[in-house]
Amino acid sequence: MTEESLILVDALPNIKAALEGLEVDFTYTVSAQWPRKVPTGALITITELDNSQAAGQLVVDRLSYQIDLWGPDADELRTLAPLVNTAVLSLGFLRDYAGALGLENGYFRRTFRYAG
């Protein structure tokens, strides 16, 4: 094995930093953990879905992340959604899924998936 093939690419810290810097006029939290209770404010969660080596290409990784927006205020999530999308796209990822804003158990949720 080459040294390059042993490197694990972890984009989560970069995604988290980009999402923590969004300019909005309300408070929100960014976490790598899904909420354990009903969110009382806007919450952005990041979940790594895939981090594997592309077949036959030792220095190319397949990365994919799910970004969920959670909160009691649909308007805040509507404000966050395009900012989140722009931030993640600016890191070189491509969006391959965008779910509709929906109501679940008393809070709103919107899901995006990105790969690169």
Short mmCIF file of all heavy atoms in Angstrom, two decimals, residues 1 26 28 46-48 55 59 62 74 84 86 94 101 106-107:
data_model
loop_
_atom_site.label_atom_id
_atom_site.label_comp_id
_atom_site.label_asym_id
_atom_site.label_seq_id
_atom_site.Cartn_x
_atom_site.Cartn_y
_atom_site.Cartn_z
N MET A 1 0.84 -1.19 0.00
CA MET A 1 0.00 0.00 0.00
C MET A 1 0.88 1.25 0.00
O MET A 1 1.89 1.28 0.68
CB MET A 1 -0.88 0.05 1.24
CG MET A 1 -1.99 -0.94 1.24
SD MET A 1 -3.18 -0.47 2.55
CE MET A 1 -4.63 -1.05 1.77
N PHE A 26 -30.68 35.22 13.43
CA PHE A 26 -31.19 34.39 14.51
C PHE A 26 -30.10 33.39 14.89
O PHE A 26 -29.13 33.20 14.16
CB PHE A 26 -32.49 33.66 14.12
CG PHE A 26 -32.40 32.88 12.84
CD1 PHE A 26 -31.95 31.57 12.82
CD2 PHE A 26 -32.76 33.46 11.62
CE1 PHE A 26 -31.86 30.85 11.65
CE2 PHE A 26 -32.68 32.75 10.44
CZ PHE A 26 -32.23 31.44 10.44
N TYR A 28 -28.51 29.73 15.63
CA TYR A 28 -28.65 28.33 15.22
C TYR A 28 -27.42 27.58 15.70
O TYR A 28 -26.40 28.16 16.03
CB TYR A 28 -28.83 28.20 13.70
CG TYR A 28 -27.61 28.59 12.91
CD1 TYR A 28 -26.69 27.63 12.51
CD2 TYR A 28 -27.36 29.91 12.57
CE1 TYR A 28 -25.56 27.97 11.79
CE2 TYR A 28 -26.24 30.27 11.85
CZ TYR A 28 -25.34 29.29 11.46
OH TYR A 28 -24.22 29.63 10.76
N ILE A 46 -24.96 17.32 10.55
CA ILE A 46 -24.15 16.79 9.45
C ILE A 46 -23.92 15.31 9.73
O ILE A 46 -23.45 14.94 10.81
CB ILE A 46 -22.78 17.49 9.39
CG1 ILE A 46 -22.94 19.01 9.37
CG2 ILE A 46 -21.98 17.00 8.17
CD1 ILE A 46 -21.67 19.74 9.74
N THR A 47 -24.24 14.47 8.75
CA THR A 47 -24.04 13.03 8.88
C THR A 47 -23.20 12.55 7.70
O THR A 47 -23.54 12.82 6.55
CB THR A 47 -25.39 12.28 8.87
OG1 THR A 47 -26.23 12.82 9.89
CG2 THR A 47 -25.20 10.79 9.10
N GLU A 48 -22.12 11.85 7.97
CA GLU A 48 -21.31 11.26 6.90
C GLU A 48 -22.00 9.99 6.43
O GLU A 48 -22.25 9.08 7.23
CB GLU A 48 -19.90 10.97 7.41
CG GLU A 48 -18.98 10.45 6.32
CD GLU A 48 -17.57 10.27 6.85
OE1 GLU A 48 -17.35 9.32 7.63
OE2 GLU A 48 -16.72 11.09 6.50
N ALA A 55 -12.92 2.65 -6.49
CA ALA A 55 -12.30 1.43 -7.01
C ALA A 55 -11.23 1.76 -8.04
O ALA A 55 -11.48 2.51 -8.99
CB ALA A 55 -13.36 0.53 -7.61
N VAL A 59 -6.03 7.43 -4.71
CA VAL A 59 -6.06 8.73 -4.05
C VAL A 59 -7.37 9.48 -4.29
O VAL A 59 -7.45 10.67 -4.12
CB VAL A 59 -4.86 9.62 -4.47
CG1 VAL A 59 -3.57 9.01 -3.99
CG2 VAL A 59 -4.84 9.83 -5.97
N ARG A 62 -14.69 8.55 -2.32
CA ARG A 62 -16.09 8.88 -2.49
C ARG A 62 -16.58 9.39 -1.15
O ARG A 62 -16.54 8.66 -0.15
CB ARG A 62 -16.90 7.65 -2.90
CG ARG A 62 -16.64 7.19 -4.32
CD ARG A 62 -17.56 6.03 -4.66
NE ARG A 62 -17.38 4.95 -3.71
CZ ARG A 62 -16.92 3.75 -4.02
NH1 ARG A 62 -16.59 3.46 -5.24
NH2 ARG A 62 -16.79 2.81 -3.11
N ALA A 74 -40.42 27.36 10.57
CA ALA A 74 -40.22 27.05 9.15
C ALA A 74 -39.52 28.18 8.41
O ALA A 74 -38.69 27.94 7.53
CB ALA A 74 -41.55 26.72 8.49
N VAL A 84 -27.02 27.23 3.41
CA VAL A 84 -26.38 25.92 3.61
C VAL A 84 -25.95 25.36 2.26
O VAL A 84 -24.82 24.90 2.09
CB VAL A 84 -27.35 24.95 4.34
CG1 VAL A 84 -26.87 23.51 4.23
CG2 VAL A 84 -27.51 25.36 5.79
N THR A 86 -25.29 26.88 -0.59
CA THR A 86 -24.17 27.64 -1.15
C THR A 86 -22.87 27.30 -0.42
O THR A 86 -21.82 27.11 -1.06
CB THR A 86 -24.44 29.15 -1.06
OG1 THR A 86 -25.62 29.44 -1.83
CG2 THR A 86 -23.29 29.96 -1.59
N LEU A 94 -21.29 18.32 -4.70
CA LEU A 94 -22.46 18.47 -5.57
C LEU A 94 -23.68 17.98 -4.81
O LEU A 94 -23.63 16.94 -4.15
CB LEU A 94 -22.29 17.64 -6.85
CG LEU A 94 -21.11 18.01 -7.73
CD1 LEU A 94 -20.98 17.01 -8.87
CD2 LEU A 94 -21.25 19.42 -8.25
N LEU A 101 -39.41 20.71 2.71
CA LEU A 101 -39.59 21.08 4.12
C LEU A 101 -40.84 20.38 4.62
O LEU A 101 -41.91 20.50 4.03
CB LEU A 101 -39.74 22.60 4.23
CG LEU A 101 -39.89 23.16 5.64
CD1 LEU A 101 -38.63 22.93 6.45
CD2 LEU A 101 -40.19 24.65 5.56
N GLY A 106 -43.94 17.85 15.51
CA GLY A 106 -43.96 19.18 16.09
C GLY A 106 -42.81 20.09 15.71
O GLY A 106 -42.70 21.21 16.19
N TYR A 107 -41.90 19.64 14.85
CA TYR A 107 -40.81 20.50 14.37
C TYR A 107 -40.68 20.31 12.86
O TYR A 107 -41.14 19.32 12.30
CB TYR A 107 -39.49 20.18 15.08
CG TYR A 107 -39.04 18.74 14.95
CD1 TYR A 107 -38.29 18.32 13.86
CD2 TYR A 107 -39.38 17.80 15.91
CE1 TYR A 107 -37.90 17.01 13.73
CE2 TYR A 107 -38.99 16.48 15.79
CZ TYR A 107 -38.24 16.09 14.71
OH TYR A 107 -37.86 14.79 14.58
#
